Amino acid sequence: KPAKRLSTDSTNSHEGATGGEISALEEAFRKFAVHGDTRATGREMHGKNWSKLCKDCHVIDGKNVTTTDVDIVFSKIKAKGSRTITFDQFKEALQELSKKRFKGKSDEEALQQMHKLIEGKGPVISGVTKTVSSPTVSRLTDTSKFTGSHKERFDASGKGKGRAGREDLVDNSGYVSGYKHAGTYDHKVQGNK
């Protein structure tokens, strides 16, 4: 039943406005709606993504519109018992916030300014791959300081030896283990002639 309602809403939403304006706004809505949720379809937006949209698109300015205002508008617009808003409810929420964000402008002008802030934008991803360099971790992962059986698992550059470092592999070269000049016999014999 909700899917049918959404399809009729989307056909009605294109009336009364230019197609490009709606599609750019709807595209931004869908990008934010699916952000961080692998099961999201892009037809409904959660409150968390609504807040992210308002922060990333600079709807929240800290003076006229705050995070609290954004949360209140979301709670007011969404259906009772629902956790998401549809695209039409999203437009209602923008209209409500535009009056607050752009005081002194007409409702239509404020709404256009609000649409300009959001159109064509997507979620900003920052600081996701940042790693913290801690002296404790670097000390524990420095292979040059390993001793005992752990030392045998890594070569001089710190790269792991793989299977050779984990298992005792039989060396059939004819040399005693630990002999440093293996394979130099022919060179020594020819060098003396």
Side-chain angles (χ1 to χ4, degrees), residues 8-73:
T8 57
D9 287 348
S10 64
T11 56
N12 294 338
S13 67
H14 291 287
E15 296 173 7
T18 60
E21 176 186 322
I22 294 295
S23 67
L25 188 65
E26 195 167 358
E27 181 185 341
F29 171 81
R30 287 177 188 222
K31 283 180 183 176
F32 278 98
V34 298
H35 177 71
D37 188 3
T38 55
R39 294 174 289 154
T41 60
R43 293 191 177 113
E44 294 181 332
M45 182 183 287
H46 286 278
K48 174 184 64 126
N49 292 3
W50 162 250
S51 294
K52 180 159 180 59
L53 179 139
C54 292
K55 284 177 190 154
D56 290 356
C57 295
H58 304 292
V59 172
I60 297 172
D61 63 354
K63 291 186 231 167
N64 299 329
V65 179
T66 63
T67 54
T68 307
D69 296 326
V70 168
D71 293 339
I72 290 170
V73 167

Side-chain angles (χ1 to χ4, degrees), residues 4-143:
K4 187 176 182 184
R5 193 181 90 222
L6 284 173
S7 64
T8 57
D9 287 348
S10 64
T11 56
N12 294 338
S13 67
H14 291 287
E15 296 173 7
T18 60
E21 176 186 322
I22 294 295
S23 67
L25 188 65
E26 195 167 358
E27 181 185 341
F29 171 81
R30 287 177 188 222
K31 283 180 183 176
F32 278 98
V34 298
H35 177 71
D37 188 3
T38 55
R39 294 174 289 154
T41 60
R43 293 191 177 113
E44 294 181 332
M45 182 183 287
H46 286 278
K48 174 184 64 126
N49 292 3
W50 162 250
S51 294
K52 180 159 180 59
L53 179 139
C54 292
K55 284 177 190 154
D56 290 356
C57 295
H58 304 292
V59 172
I60 297 172
D61 63 354
K63 291 186 231 167
N64 299 329
V65 179
T66 63
T67 54
T68 307
D69 296 326
V70 168
D71 293 339
I72 290 170
V73 167
F74 183 84
S75 297
K76 193 188 298 184
I77 297 295
K78 73 177 178 63
K80 199 169 199 169
S82 175
R83 294 180 174 195
T84 58
I85 57 171
T86 62
F87 181 64
D88 286 337
Q89 291 169 324
F90 169 73
K91 290 193 293 187
E92 284 178 49
L94 289 181
Q95 192 166 7
E96 188 138 341
L97 278 177
S98 66
K99 295 172 192 171
K100 249 187 139 148
R101 174 75 159 84
F102 300 103
K103 290 180 180 173
K105 295 193 177 190
S106 69
D107 290 352
E108 186 62 35
E109 227 179 318
L111 189 61
Q112 285 178 353
Q113 290 290 323
M114 185 67 83
H115 285 210
K116 283 182 184 174
L117 286 175
I118 296 169
E119 286 175 354
K121 300 252 174 83
V124 176
I125 302 169
S126 62
V128 176
T129 58
K130 193 182 240 184
T131 58
V132 178
S133 178
S134 130
T136 306
V137 174
S138 61
R139 181 176 55 84
L140 293 172
T141 55
D142 185 4
T143 56

